[in-house]
Amino acid sequence: MLLLIPGPVTTADAVKTALAQDYAPWDNDFRAIVRKLCTDIRDAAGGVPDVHVALPLSGCGHFALEAAVRTFVPPGGRLLVPGTGAYADRLQRLAREAGRAVATMEVGVRDRAQPARLIEALRRDPDVTHVGLVCSETGSGICHDAPALAQAAHDLGRRVIIDAVSAFGALPLDLSALPAVDAVILTSNKCPEGPPGASFAVCRVDRLEAARGNAGSGSLDLADIHEHGKTTHGGARFTPPAPTLAALSVAMDLHRTEGRPARLARYTANKQTLYDGIRALGLTPYLYAALQGPIIVNAEPPAHPGWNLQAFVHALKRRGFIISNFYNTKQPTFRVGCIGAITPGDMSRAVDAMDDALRELAIAA
Ligand SMILES: *Cc1c(COP(=O)(O)O)cnc(C)c1O
């Protein structure tokens, strides 16, 4: 069975093997695995030794996003999140419920966030201390130019938190050139092709040290996690998802071997095979080709009374492919992920399976 969803993704056999073992989190060999993993993650983010540190957290990406907001946006601070879609909405909600003031800037559902518009929004709202940016908006499939937006924020003296959850490991990221970024958030189970259960914040050490006491949460305090890691040589405060971390360290070895640009090229080829294949079936992708990112493709369902998302998903599942069984755009669109240990050949077979599934549902697409 192949997962064609934008996380968790299909993993390589070596990753599954590492997952199927028991690990003692406090064991020195295991700590060495985690230390190396954190170095690999920092390096893959373009972080600089001693300037940046990768901190692991148990749980999903939203836990790490909430931790970053709580840690870096101080009580009384104000976070502006360009409204790029479903994941930008969630980031705003996390911040609001953490008691931080939130502002937004409208972005069309089929538009990229423009640095010039961000500059205007920040000039109009001098109380904004931080900007939260979604790199790859997994709701729509659009990738935004996070480095250019972060630079715009920097020019106006604002700090930045980047949600790179569905981008990290595939899209370029060079923290060494982005001094305004306090934290970049990522998870194991998207483009790094690891299992679910662990997330990371790659943070500036100086900002972490200035952020003590901000979080207002014992669990989601990156400054405390950093402090604890320093005194215990990479030890976790609480029980870490040990098999997930060990399996991710194998996945990051595979990532290094493949290379970040080659991984992006593979996902781009997956996306193109899917995008062209869907069109050849007579379906309409949600995004114009020029806006379509390489992580997820949404497509409009056939305008046919026989259409039924659950039946379509089920018919695909019987043919070996799992796609999302819910809509994530205001206009209903079915979503197919292009990431994970999958190839353009897999995508081409998935398109054939969609063709069969549509026939089975008696839909002349
Ligand atoms: C997947 C994702 C997240 C985090 O999702 P979790 O389910 O909490 O792991 C956050 N932002 C984006 C853009 C994502 O794609």
Side-chain angles (χ1 to χ4, degrees):
M1 189 70 71
L2 293 185
L3 300 184
L4 301 187
I5 55 178
V9 300
T10 304
T11 56
D13 288 344
V15 173
K16 293 184 183 56
T17 303
L19 191 57
Q21 292 174 44
D22 300 318
Y23 301 90
W26 323 118
D27 177 55
N28 286 334
D29 291 339
F30 181 77
R31 280 193 192 188
I33 290 175
V34 174
R35 274 201 302 275
K36 175 170 182 296
L37 173 59
C38 289
T39 304
D40 287 349
I41 298 271
R42 181 200 66 208
D43 291 352
V48 178
D50 300 327
V51 176
H52 297 99
V53 63
L55 302 173
L57 261 98
S58 303
C60 64
H62 286 98
F63 288 15
L65 280 169
E66 181 175 342
V69 167
R70 285 180 170 276
T71 303
F72 293 108
V73 183
R78 183 169 166 87
L79 177 73
L80 183 145
V81 182
T84 52
Y87 286 86
D89 293 349
R90 292 183 188 186
L91 181 54
Q92 290 176 27
R93 177 176 168 187
L94 294 176
R96 211 177 298 115
E97 295 193 7
R100 272 45 171 188
V102 173
T104 189
M105 155 191 139
E106 246 180 74
V107 181
V109 288
R110 286 190 182 80
D111 285 331
R112 280 205 183 92
Q114 299 296 330
R117 297 266 337 274
L118 178 62
I119 287 173
E120 282 169 26
L122 291 176
R123 288 219 168 101
R124 270 200 309 272
D125 196 343
D127 293 343
V128 168
T129 53
H130 287 71
V131 176
L133 298 172
V134 179
C135 247
S136 159
E137 173 49 77
T138 322
S140 65
I142 298 174
C143 293
H144 298 274
D145 189 347
L149 294 161
Q151 184 60 44
H154 179 71
D155 291 345
L156 293 179
R158 318 300 169 89
R159 307 299 306 168
V160 176
I161 293 170
I162 297 183
D163 170 355
V165 177
S166 71
F168 178 84
L171 296 180
L173 174 65
D174 182 9
L175 274 183
S176 72
L178 299 171
V181 176
D182 287 352
V184 168
I185 306 305
L186 61 120
T187 59
S188 166
N189 62 269
K190 294 200 179 182
C191 306
E193 300 185 0
S199 50
F200 288 79
V202 186
C203 305
R204 284 191 71 93
V205 173
D206 57 352
R207 305 299 297 181
L208 276 169
E209 290 180 348
R212 279 189 222 158
N214 281 352
S217 159
S219 301
L220 300 177
D221 184 349
L222 295 172
D224 197 48
I225 292 171
H226 172 60
E227 203 51 40
H228 186 88
K230 271 199 320 199
T231 51
T232 59
H233 304 290
R237 293 182 310 166
F238 311 136
T239 304
T244 291
L245 292 172
L248 176 61
S249 83
V250 172
M252 287 304 290
D253 289 342
L254 296 175
H255 182 267
R256 191 177 324 97
T257 305
E258 181 173 21
R260 201 269 317 151
R263 181 154 299 186
L264 176 60
R266 176 163 58 84
Y267 291 170
T268 302
N270 290 348
K271 177 267 293 177
Q272 205 55 46
T273 305
L274 177 65
Y275 193 91
D276 295 344
I278 281 177
R279 282 215 291 208
L281 295 180
L283 299 174
T284 308
Y286 177 63
L287 296 176
Y288 305 113
L291 259 190
Q292 176 63 63
I295 309 300
I296 173 172
V297 172
N298 291 298
E300 295 175 14
H304 186 285
W307 170 258
N308 174 322
L309 177 66
Q310 302 308 324
F312 182 62
V313 170
H314 188 66
L316 282 180
K317 191 158 86 179
R318 276 191 281 105
R319 290 167 173 83
F321 301 96
I322 294 201
I323 69 164
S324 301
N325 62 359
F326 57 91
Y327 299 131
N328 212 4
T329 42
K330 280 209 182 85
Q331 164 197 352
T333 56
F334 70 86
R335 29 188 351 243
V336 187
C338 307
I339 60 176
I342 51 172
T343 63
D346 294 323
M347 282 315 207
S348 165
R349 280 186 290 282
V351 171
D352 291 345
M354 287 178 199
D355 192 12
D356 287 351
L358 290 173
R359 283 173 213 283
E360 186 184 311
L361 301 187
I363 295 173

